[in-house]
Amino acid sequence: MGSSIMLGRCLALGAVFVLAAGAADGALYRWVDENGRVQYSDTPPQKDRSAVQLSNRGMVLKKIEAPLSPEQQKAKDAEEARKRAEDARALEQRRQDSALLQSFTTVQEIDMKRDREVSVVETAIANLREQERTLDARLAADRKRAEDLDKTKKPLPQSLKEDIVRAEAEKKVLEDEIKRKYDEIAATKWRYEALKKRYIVLRQEATMIQPASAAPPPSAKK
């Protein structure tokens, strides 16, 4: 049985040498057929089969991949798109981390910048509140005038009706804007809290790496 195996190997090896000699400097191809047997030829296999191109010394020159099915191609495209998106996210995270470390030297500086941004929004809210108070006073006066006219059974001037409607609409706009400003403050605080957490992690990582790279050389013996 052992001699049969050796004979088979010699025949296969001989086939390679014969094909290589026949191909000279041309291409030689190796692939596995549908029965699982390794085949050699100086012509490429069918297009639906993977193969490798060999030199006349048996060195692999290139691989020939079988075409993918539509389902395989779709899965491959999806995986490549996922990998590109993942690489893009990692690159953006590294950019943001670098900018964060370059922008601040302490956690307190992050708090100070947060407080400055919040203060600007709070000033805007104070201005809106002042506008709201002025509008409320005007609207209250118009409503009181409308009440007095109604008590005396006198018709309301069209201009007064329009003033009340306009003032109520303006009040709604101011209320929405004030709410939006408070939401902006909450978002700013949340964003800076996330920045602080990330900054602390990056600083800790840098502290863990630094001792190994900055270790002093051993003292020279005298």
Side-chain angles (χ1 to χ4, degrees):
M1 185 174 179
S3 59
S4 298
I5 293 173
M6 284 294 291
L7 179 59
R9 288 178 178 175
C10 290
L11 289 173
L13 208 54
V16 173
F17 289 141
V18 169
L19 285 168
D25 293 330
L28 177 64
Y29 300 91
R30 181 185 67 202
W31 72 95
V32 178
D33 65 17
E34 62 276 5
N35 298 317
R37 291 194 295 266
V38 177
Q39 301 289 345
Y40 294 89
S41 175
D42 57 355
T43 57
Q46 298 175 2
K47 292 183 179 180
D48 62 346
R49 198 166 299 281
S50 298
V52 292
Q53 183 179 349
L54 305 172
S55 69
N56 59 359
R57 294 180 177 274
M59 303 294 291
V60 175
L61 297 178
K62 70 175 181 179
K63 293 182 179 180
I64 303 172
E65 299 293 343
L68 301 177
S69 67
E71 292 77 13
Q72 290 173 326
Q73 186 64 51
K74 184 178 180 180
K76 180 182 178 184
D77 293 344
E79 177 59 22
E80 289 176 351
R82 185 197 65 78
K83 185 66 168 60
R84 286 194 300 271
E86 187 178 295
D87 291 344
R89 283 193 298 270
L91 180 63
E92 177 60 19
Q93 185 62 61
R94 289 194 296 272
R95 186 193 67 77
Q96 291 180 5
D97 289 346
S98 177
L100 181 60
L101 290 173
Q102 291 175 11
S103 299
F104 304 101
T105 58
T106 64
V107 171
Q108 288 72 25
E109 289 182 2
I110 298 177
D111 288 337
M112 290 169 61
K113 190 169 189 300
R114 176 203 62 204
D115 292 344
R116 285 195 299 270
E117 290 191 16
V118 168
S119 178
V120 170
V121 183
E122 287 175 339
T123 300
I125 290 175
N127 292 334
L128 290 169
R129 288 293 189 195
E130 184 61 34
Q131 294 177 44
E132 187 180 38
R133 282 190 291 271
T134 302
L135 181 61
D136 283 343
R138 192 178 81 223
L139 183 58
D142 287 344
R143 284 172 175 169
K144 179 67 171 59
R145 184 184 167 199
E147 257 182 56
D148 293 342
L149 289 171
D150 186 60
K151 287 177 182 178
T152 59
K153 306 299 182 181
K154 292 181 180 179
L156 270 62
Q158 184 62 30
S159 60
L160 179 58
K161 292 180 182 179
E162 292 175 355
D163 286 344
I164 292 174
V165 171
R166 188 182 305 110
E168 288 174 343
E170 289 177 7
K171 182 176 173 61
K172 180 65 169 61
V173 170
L174 283 172
E175 289 173 347
D176 290 345
E177 182 63 12
I178 290 170
K179 181 182 181 303
R180 191 185 70 79
K181 290 295 183 183
Y182 277 117
D183 290 343
E184 185 178 341
I185 288 176
T188 299
K189 289 181 177 179
W190 181 90
R191 178 164 53 87
Y192 275 96
E193 191 61 30
L195 281 177
K196 279 203 305 184
K197 289 179 180 179
R198 183 61 182 168
Y199 180 84
I200 291 170
V201 169
L202 293 172
R203 283 299 182 191
Q204 288 174 343
E205 290 176 353
T207 302
M208 292 174 63
I209 295 172
Q210 190 174 3
S213 60
S219 301
K221 294 182 179 181
K222 295 182 179 179

